[in-house]
């Protein structure tokens, strides 16, 4: 029901008695007072002719706001204002974030510069400590004397080195294979004949004396055991006083032990006979000169030290450009090889301390794990930490002549006395590589599944003595 005048639902509807049309009461009364007629039919009409109609109250709908251009423009203006305000706030937040980022980058750059400066000062301090150290002496008012790096070797030591080289090099090539020495067939027949219980976990090397019966085994607790192969047990225990054992060698019947504290201990009849503390950091490895009276040590302080084991005094200390990780003397005693943390084998003239040659690893700047000179006097075997190959270098050609891939990471290598067998070990294996001089070819006569960290030859190469990763000793023999 709609009003005939407005076309909308009337709030107070009335109807004309004459025409029957429905009107909004206020609109029709206003029209009648002005015209006195019916707005639809034009007939005369008075207010008395209107009849009120009863109906439920109608709630008028709210008129739409976007039905006209002014309303649309007003709405668009409001939206634009809100958008501009939000953009302004975002710009403020972006400016604050940029300021915070700029401050953080400034602090980070400053911190990096400070760290770089501290690292430089640390390296300079290490170099200084490597070059200068204080040792005890009976001369002087306060009992201290300064030993300066790089001093020349005493004439007696130089004479001993030259004599050893002359004696050994003159007979090396004429030396026959000893009677009863192992053959490839006997190596193939080797089996695991003895396994000890875990002795010293954390051990990194094993040293066997000249008889092949006693082995030095040490671990992370700073204790070294003398293991008897014939008895199958530890027959003597040596306490080194702290730090983990990093390497050990036999000097005759005297055990010599290197520690992570930087100390080197010499024992005689189970008691400590001497202690050296020349390195400004851990000792990585030690090696015994063929004369038996000179010991060499290398360390993380980028230096190597020579010691006289007769007088129990250090002889000289030589600095290098990188940390040293492993060491070995040439079988004639005139060369000293030191493996570096940058993958380089450095060869030094023992008498002059001159770096006469370098061999760069083909595996990049990974630290050397081990080096070993062949008894033939011309070959050097090396292995890099984490790599599965052993490199064989020729000292005459100054080049790598053979790469032997053993399948898993190599941790130790050792040549036999004749120079024809190369023992190697690592995670999951102990193997022997054989070089046949007649055919100039390599073969692998022996391989055993064993988790080993180091391996050494037994008497006449008829057995192998291996240190397992759990600190136990395993004997492999035919």
């Amino acid at each position: 029901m709609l009003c005939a005048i407005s076309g909308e639902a009337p709030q107070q509807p009335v109807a004309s008695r004459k025409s029957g049309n429905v009107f909004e009461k206020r609109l029709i009364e206003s029209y009648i007072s002005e015209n006195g007629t019916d707005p639809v039919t034009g007939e005369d009409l008075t207010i008395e002719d209107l009849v009120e109609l009863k109906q439920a109250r109608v709630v008028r709908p709210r008129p739409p706001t976007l039905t006209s251009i002014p309303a649309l423009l007003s709405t668009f203006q409001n939206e634009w204002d809100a958008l501009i305000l939000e953009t302004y706030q975002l710009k403020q937040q972006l400016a604050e974030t940029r300021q915070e980022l700029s401050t953080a980058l400034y602090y980070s750059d400053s911190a990096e510069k400070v760290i770089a400066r501290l690292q430089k000062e640390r390296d300079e301090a290490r170099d200084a400590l490597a070059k200068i150290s204080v040792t005890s002496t009976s001369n002087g008012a306060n009992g201290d004397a300064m030993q300066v790096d790089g001093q020349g070797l005493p004439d007696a030591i130089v004479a001993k080195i030259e004599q050893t080289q002359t004696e050994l090099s003159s007979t090396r090539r004429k030396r026959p294979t000893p009677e009863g020495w192992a053959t490839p067939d006997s190596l193939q027949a080797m089996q695991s004949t003895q396994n000890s219980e875990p002795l010293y976990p954390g051990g990194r090397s094993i040293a066997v004396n000249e008889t092949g019966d006693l082995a030095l085994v040490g671990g992370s607790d700073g204790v070294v055991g003398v293991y008897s192969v014939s008895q199958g047990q530890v027959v003597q225990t040596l306490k080194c006083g702290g730090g983990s054992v990093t390497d050990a060698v036999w000097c005759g019947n005297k055990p010599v032990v290197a520690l992570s504290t930087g100390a080197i201990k010499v024992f005689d009849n189970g008691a400590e006979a001497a202690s050296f503390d020349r390195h400004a950091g851990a000792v990585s490895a030690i090696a015994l000169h063929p004369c038996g009276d000179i010991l060499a040590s290398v360390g993380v302080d980028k230096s190597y030290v020579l010691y006289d084991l007769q007088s129990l005094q250090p002889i000289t200390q030589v600095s290098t450009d990188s940390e040293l990780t492993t060491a070995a003397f040439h079988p004639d005693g005139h060369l000293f090889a030191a493996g570096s943390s940058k993958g380089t084998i450095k060869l030094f003239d023992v008498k002059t301390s001159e770096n006469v040659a370098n061999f760069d690893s083909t595996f990049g700047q990974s630290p050397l794990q081990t080096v070993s000179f062949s008894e033939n006097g011309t070959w050097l075997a090396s292995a890099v930490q984490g790599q599965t190959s052993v490199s064989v270098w020729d000292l005459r050609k100054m080049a790598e002549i053979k790469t032997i891939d053993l399948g898993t990471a190599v941790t130790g290598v050792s040549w036999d006395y004749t120079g024809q067998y190369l023992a190697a070990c690592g995670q999951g294996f102990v193997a022997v590589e054989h070089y046949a001089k007649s055919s100039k070819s390599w073969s692998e006569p022996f391989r055993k599944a064993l988790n080993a960290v180091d391996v050494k030859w037994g008497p006449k190469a008829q057995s192998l003595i291996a240190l397992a990763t759990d600190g136990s000793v395993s004997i492999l023999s035919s």
Side-chain angles (χ1 to χ4, degrees), residues 247-267:
D247 202 2
V249 296
W250 285 96
C251 176
N253 59 355
K254 299 177 182 179
V256 183
V257 181
L259 300 170
S260 62
T261 60
I264 296 175
K265 306 284 187 178
V266 181
F267 292 88

Side-chain angles (χ1 to χ4, degrees), residues 381-443:
S382 67
V384 174
Q385 289 184 17
Q387 299 298 326
T388 63
S389 300
V390 173
S391 298
V392 180
W393 307 85
D394 193 319
L395 301 182
R396 299 165 299 182
K397 300 178 181 178
M398 300 300 292
E400 183 179 10
I401 60 171
K402 180 67 176 178
T403 300
I404 306 172
D405 192 353
L406 294 167
T408 59
V410 180
T411 56
V413 295
S414 177
W415 291 96
D416 78 316
Y417 174 76
T418 64
Q420 60 178 323
Y421 301 123
L422 176 63
C425 67
Q427 293 297 319
F429 80 96
V430 172
V432 175
E433 304 297 322
H434 172 230
Y435 177 73
K437 190 174 182 180
S438 57
S439 62
K440 296 183 179 180
S441 61
W442 290 83
S443 62

Side-chain angles (χ1 to χ4, degrees), residues 136-197:
S136 173
T137 181
S138 58
N139 298 326
N142 57 3
D144 291 334
M146 191 67 70
Q147 298 283 341
V148 182
D149 154 67
Q151 61 186 8
L153 300 184
D155 293 341
I157 297 297
V158 173
K160 184 178 295 186
I161 294 172
E162 291 177 344
Q163 180 183 357
T164 301
Q165 179 185 0
T166 301
E167 293 175 353
L168 295 178
S169 61
S170 62
T171 61
R172 186 169 305 284
R173 294 193 176 277
K174 300 178 182 179
R175 189 173 61 193
T177 300
E179 183 179 355
W181 206 259
T183 64
D185 291 338
S186 64
L187 291 177
Q188 288 181 353
M190 285 200 305
Q191 299 291 333
S192 178
T193 57
Q194 185 182 131
N195 290 291
S196 75
E197 61 182 8

Side-chain angles (χ1 to χ4, degrees), residues 76-388:
F76 290 155
Q77 183 65 48
N78 293 337
E79 291 293 335
W80 174 259
D81 293 343
L83 180 61
I84 293 299
L85 180 60
E86 183 179 2
T87 303
Y88 175 74
Q89 293 174 345
L90 290 176
K91 286 183 177 180
Q92 281 187 321
Q93 294 176 1
L94 177 60
E96 293 174 357
T97 303
R98 283 180 174 175
Q99 183 64 33
E100 293 174 358
L101 178 60
S102 176
T103 303
L105 290 176
Y106 172 77
Y107 287 144
S108 175
D109 183 63
S110 300
E112 290 177 357
K113 290 180 179 179
V114 171
I115 292 173
R117 178 174 57 81
L118 292 176
Q119 288 178 337
K120 181 180 179 181
E121 293 176 356
R122 179 202 63 187
D123 293 340
E124 291 175 351
R126 282 183 175 177
D127 291 339
L129 286 173
K131 293 178 180 178
I132 301 175
S133 62
V134 177
T135 57
S136 173
T137 181
S138 58
N139 298 326
N142 57 3
D144 291 334
M146 191 67 70
Q147 298 283 341
V148 182
D149 154 67
Q151 61 186 8
L153 300 184
D155 293 341
I157 297 297
V158 173
K160 184 178 295 186
I161 294 172
E162 291 177 344
Q163 180 183 357
T164 301
Q165 179 185 0
T166 301
E167 293 175 353
L168 295 178
S169 61
S170 62
T171 61
R172 186 169 305 284
R173 294 193 176 277
K174 300 178 182 179
R175 189 173 61 193
T177 300
E179 183 179 355
W181 206 259
T183 64
D185 291 338
S186 64
L187 291 177
Q188 288 181 353
M190 285 200 305
Q191 299 291 333
S192 178
T193 57
Q194 185 182 131
N195 290 291
S196 75
E197 61 182 8
L199 301 175
Y200 306 100
R204 294 159 53 178
S205 67
I206 187 170
V208 181
N209 70 347
E210 294 178 353
T211 66
D213 182 57
L214 299 179
L216 290 177
V217 183
S220 57
D221 58 356
V223 177
V224 177
V226 180
Y227 182 83
S228 172
V229 175
S230 59
Q231 299 180 38
Q233 63 181 3
V234 174
V235 295
Q236 192 175 54
T237 300
L238 309 174
K239 295 183 179 180
C240 300
S244 60
V245 177
T246 56
D247 202 2
V249 296
W250 285 96
C251 176
N253 59 355
K254 299 177 182 179
V256 183
V257 181
L259 300 170
S260 62
T261 60
I264 296 175
K265 306 284 187 178
V266 181
F267 292 88
D268 190 7
N269 294 323
E272 183 178 319
S275 178
F276 305 112
D277 194 10
R278 296 281 302 196
H279 287 282
V283 178
S284 303
I286 53 177
L288 186 67
H289 191 270
C291 70
D293 295 332
I294 300 174
L295 179 75
S297 65
V298 297
V300 298
D301 61 355
K302 305 179 182 180
S303 73
Y304 76 84
V305 184
L306 297 181
Y307 310 87
D308 184 354
L309 294 181
Q310 284 192 334
S311 63
L312 297 178
Q313 293 293 328
I315 304 172
T316 188
Q317 185 164 6
V318 179
S319 297
T320 67
D321 60 356
S322 58
E323 296 181 7
L324 303 179
T325 57
T326 184
F329 277 105
H330 186 276
D332 291 341
H334 65 297
L335 293 176
F336 175 68
S340 77
S341 60
K342 297 181 179 180
T344 301
I345 303 173
K346 300 177 180 292
L347 286 183
F348 295 90
D349 185 312
V350 178
K351 294 180 294 183
T352 64
S353 303
E354 180 184 356
N355 186 188
V356 294
N358 290 321
F359 296 110
D360 293 324
S361 170
T362 56
F363 299 103
Q365 295 191 354
S366 298
L368 264 296
Q369 176 71 31
T370 181
V371 293
S372 177
F373 281 102
S374 170
E375 285 291 331
N376 64 17
T378 57
W379 287 358
L380 171 68
S382 67
V384 174
Q385 289 184 17
Q387 299 298 326
T388 63

Side-chain angles (χ1 to χ4, degrees), residues 57-73:
R57 181 175 177 82
V58 177
V59 178
R60 298 184 64 185
R62 186 176 181 181
T65 59
L66 302 178
T67 56
S68 64
I69 292 177
L72 289 173
L73 292 175

